[in-house]
Amino acid sequence: MTAANRYDAIVIGGGHNGLVNAAYLARAGKRVVVLEKRHVLGGAAVTEEIFAGFKYSVCSYVVSLLRPEIIRDLDLPRHGLEILPLESTFTPLPDNDYLVRWADHDQTRRELYRHSPRDADAYDDFGKLMYQLAVAVRPILSMIPPDPTSMSPKDLIGFAKLAGHFRGLGEEQFHALFKLMTMSSADYLDEWFETEALKATMSASGIIGTFLGPRSPGTAYVLLHHYMGEIDGAMRAWGFARGGTGEVSESIARAARSFGAEIRMEAGVEQVIVKNGTAVGVALENGDELRAPVVVSALDPKRTFLQLVEDKDLPDDFVSAIKRFKIRGSSGKVNLALGELPNFTSLPGEGPHLRGAMSISPSVDYLERAYDDAKYGAFSKRPYMDIILPSMIDPGMAPPGKHVMSIFVQYAPSDLEGGWDETKREAFGDAVIDTLAQHAPNLPGAILHRQVLTPWDIDRDMGLTDGNIFHGELTLHQLFSMRPVAGWADFTTPVRNYFQCGSGTHPGGGITGASGRLAALKILGEQP
Amino acid sequence: MLRTTPFHSRTAPLCQAHNWRRWAGYITAGSYELTHEREYYAIRNSAALFDVSPLFKYEICGRDAVRILDRVVTRDVSRCEVHQVLYTTWCDAAGKVMDDGTLVRLEESRFRLTSAEPNLRWLQDNAFGMDVEIVDVSDSLGALSLQGPNSRAILGSATDGAVDGLGFFRATMARVGGVAVTVTRTGYSGDLGYEIWVDPADAPRLWDSLMEVGKAHGITPAGILALDLGRIEAGLVLLDVDYVPAHRAVIEDRKSSPFELGLGWTVKLGKEGFVGRAALIEEKQRGPEWEIRGLEVSWESLEAVYAKVGLPPQLPSTAWRASVPVYREGRQVGYATSGCWSPILKKYIALVHLKAEHADPGTDVHMEVTVEHHRRQAAAQVVETPFFNPERKRSTP
């Protein structure tokens, strides 16, 4: 073992959480190496020029909950992070109508009023309530989850803090929180609104990345996550990263390097080396061995425990729990290079609606039907889509006058009946384009290049098990003290000196960086 | 795009200042001329014509119209006569003010309510099971406000005397230049004045007729900046400036009861079963925690703090809308939310929220003033509002 291969900490996986983790450890003076299997950093937060001149945010496409403390601590703007506004949500409707929620309150009110005067009033009340709840719940994102069964002072203090956050809630807010924890997003929104397109588009944020439909209980809670993003939105932490999502990863990597971290590309890890129940280093796929008293996995729980470590080094019940961890992939991604902008029949022209999100979610029934297909092993014939045109926000994403389109598609089940193959992948891509062409008929003719990613591709190419974009579903039984497994939510593992910091740990979901940061603080013995 | 009012074809060419201001999703003139001073003096000296179309307006019709209104608002609607207007507030269940506006009884079972915020859902939800129709007429009704000592003469000639005997807070139907209008003797200026309600299609003709008739009486189109001075002198509170509507307040402390806003007189606790009554009875017994009052800043004190840096007192040229700390014996006891130099009173005045125990008229306090980038305090005295209350406002010949 040469000195060059000895480190204070080894981080497996150069996704955004791995990079955040490494940056915090390096900032604390540790000698850190990040090992990335691919030729490009970022994991699911990557920008790649797959078709010459056109940059795709291949998987993850918006920044929503990147923790402000990470932006501050790592000074990410100095390292190139620039988050541009993504302000409106446009929902084209089949009857040649549409619904847009704009950045401006008065404009949104006027638009909602056109559909339902009552909803226009309710929207403000709803927004206030969700804001209040998000304010109360948001600090949880920056907590190391305490163990509810433990009587240790650390865990008790954690729960006392948690209770403190909720004590500020009034009666109305507390009841709403209870409903959010138990109801489906469709039912919850039914209590407030009558406009189908509004309910559908809002409820869609409760199903993204989850193998559930808008009428499945438990989805309402995810709506709240959306509003947490809105609070930080005041600091413009919500939006589109200039240069694509890969720039988020790159800026974190630059910060990590500035603190002295080393990042090795095309350095896939074969195995974590465990001696006497203690992690001591890793074996690379190329045969090299690296040693460190701390090994951190930023991969998802399945890969972290079932691939990198041998079963014999883990307790049986833990292995069973990890095997039961729900990680079904539910979504796919279609990236397009376009010769011209889509022209929506319901709102023609190159208006400001093309600078925000476009949502194919005309009704709750539409979404639920899309889920019905997936429940029984098929991809949705008429899927839900969340679309942005990155080149409308950052012209550098495509050659002048040309565009890139990012289409998040749900549902594409990981366990497709008969399994995925290239033919089925392209059939899925065809269903997406065909659905979209009903709203923007010029789209098929404008496509210069298309990239279709199914859960199968995301698993194989990005290393996300079953293509689940959140490293495990964001359902209540897999959150907080239960993420990924009860008793191991504090970023430690049953293997001494082996830590976890991926999106499969608390809080998970989206580009938050929170898991990477909290795990680093745990390793360093610091309080968040 | 923000919307324009039904009078835009007339107001736009006059708006030399181009300082359009946003009001409830519409744009209206901040001032027409490059300075607002002449527009302000029109309120007190001749007649100022304001476009107040952006107000939210609701019609409440049907057998249960009185019942729903009596359930929602704090005034006693059953005692409102036909063609009478009530100024009223309405509260949430905790007795905190959601909005304030005027309520006119157009017919036995037809009312019209104005408000600063949308209230359709609140009214409809409270009308559950009642035989009443609530229609949002915000967009289908234009409104002008004619305020000032000459307003009666102008409107009198324009309507062939229909408003001559119109009493304070009364309404009448009339015709102006062939256009059917409703006239209410109401306003937001604290002066003699009227508000004129019209079908948007007739709005330009109404404007033209009033301007034509008013010319000889010094009619002056005026904007929000002038009105803001007038309403502070009149001690009238403004939603979102002097108080936060209860249903928009993110934290409890931002909410206010009618008693805390000097609007206790609109609360008819003897009335059965209106929203917030129980909480308001309790508060009435306990006494409100806060009071809203006027503040007169001492000229001598202001002169002294400015003299220290070699300047004469620097006065605000327009009304300010901010939260300014108010102290008593060095301790903060409240905050002013609106203030201005009153051109007619020649005094620096402000509307101030004070802890009840410091709110007695005559109490000496200090208001923060920023003098050459440094925070200073000027002596001020707590006074009753309105600051300006001319006899002509209420009197009828």
Side-chain angles (χ1 to χ4, degrees), chain B residues 11 90 99 169 172 180 194 211 245 268 275 282 293 306 326 339-340 351 359 367 374 390 393 397:
Chain B
T11 55
W90 50 103
D99 211 326
F169 271 77
T172 186
Y194 303 85
M211 288 295 283
K268 304 300 173 192
V275 182
E282 210 174 286
R293 289 280 184 269
Y306 276 99
V326 171
C340 67
L351 294 176
M367 188 179 83
H374 293 278
K393 179 176 87 176

Side-chain angles (χ1 to χ4, degrees), chain B residues 377-396:
Chain B
Q377 290 181 14
Q381 196 168 58
V382 177
V383 297
E384 298 272 14
T385 55
F387 297 98
F388 180 73
N389 194 17
E391 171 67 19
R392 61 180 179 256
K393 179 176 87 176
R394 288 168 168 272
S395 69
T396 307

Side-chain angles (χ1 to χ4, degrees), chain A residues 6 39 45 106 160 165 192 212 217 228 239 286 303 388 398-399 424 440 455 476:
Chain A
R6 285 189 183 278
H39 63 284
D106 286 330
H165 296 316
W192 286 89
L212 291 172
M228 291 187 225
N286 69 5
R303 277 173 155 83
I388 60 168
K424 285 177 187 159
L476 286 173

Side-chain angles (χ1 to χ4, degrees), chain B residues 99-324:
Chain B
D99 211 326
D100 66 301
T102 56
L103 177 67
V104 55
R105 189 167 199 168
L106 297 166
E107 293 164 20
E108 185 59 33
S109 48
R110 189 160 77 95
F111 292 81
R112 190 185 290 149
L113 180 69
T114 68
S115 64
E117 282 268 306
N119 277 280
L120 182 69
R121 187 163 169 262
W122 181 249
L123 291 168
Q124 283 180 344
D125 286 353
N126 277 290
F128 183 76
M130 293 191 200
D131 179 11
V132 65
E133 196 187 1
I134 294 151
V135 187
D136 185 350
V137 294
S138 303
D139 296 343
S140 52
L141 205 58
L144 291 177
S145 181
L146 185 64
Q147 304 287 313
N150 292 355
S151 56
R152 182 182 288 128
I154 295 169
L155 210 52
S157 346
T159 60
D160 288 328
V163 303
D164 289 356
L166 189 65
F168 190 54
F169 271 77
R170 294 285 158 168
T172 186
M173 306 301 152
R175 296 188 82 80
V176 175
V179 170
V181 296
T182 310
V183 179
T184 52
R185 188 166 158 195
T186 48
Y188 199 51
S189 67
D191 215 300
L192 172 66
Y194 303 85
E195 286 170 312
I196 307 141
W197 312 86
V198 66
D199 186 305
D202 296 327
R205 277 172 66 200
L206 172 65
W207 178 278
D208 293 344
S209 302
L210 288 174
M211 288 295 283
E212 178 64 30
V213 175
K215 208 170 158 188
H217 301 280
I219 194 170
T220 307
I224 305 294
L225 294 177
L227 189 60
D228 218 9
L229 297 176
R231 69 100 191 165
I232 294 171
E233 290 172 340
L236 300 172
V237 292
L238 180 56
L239 181 144
D240 271 347
V241 173
D242 301 305
Y243 74 94
V244 177
H247 55 307
R248 296 280 166 270
V250 172
I251 51 172
E252 270 322 289
D253 277 354
R254 289 191 183 165
K255 301 177 181 176
S256 303
S257 77
F259 302 114
E260 292 174 329
L261 295 178
L263 302 174
W265 65 273
T266 69
V267 180
K268 304 300 173 192
L269 290 176
K271 188 177 76 164
E272 289 294 319
F274 67 93
V275 182
R277 180 173 180 255
L280 290 169
I281 288 174
E282 210 174 286
E283 181 173 342
K284 175 91 175 176
Q285 284 164 354
R286 199 176 53 227
E289 195 183 341
W290 292 86
E291 298 273 7
I292 200 163
R293 289 280 184 269
L295 208 60
E296 286 183 6
V297 181
S298 150
W299 178 262
E300 290 73 18
S301 173
L302 205 58
E303 209 164 34
V305 289
Y306 276 99
K308 282 188 182 154
V309 298
L311 285 172
Q314 311 286 298
L315 297 169
S317 61
T318 57
W320 48 258
R321 299 171 169 190
S323 183
V324 175

Side-chain angles (χ1 to χ4, degrees), chain A residues 410-427:
Chain A
Q410 193 150 324
Y411 298 79
S414 44
D415 51 349
L416 190 77
E417 197 172 351
W420 284 97
D421 57 30
E422 267 147 43
T423 315
K424 285 177 187 159
R425 176 214 287 148
E426 295 313 313

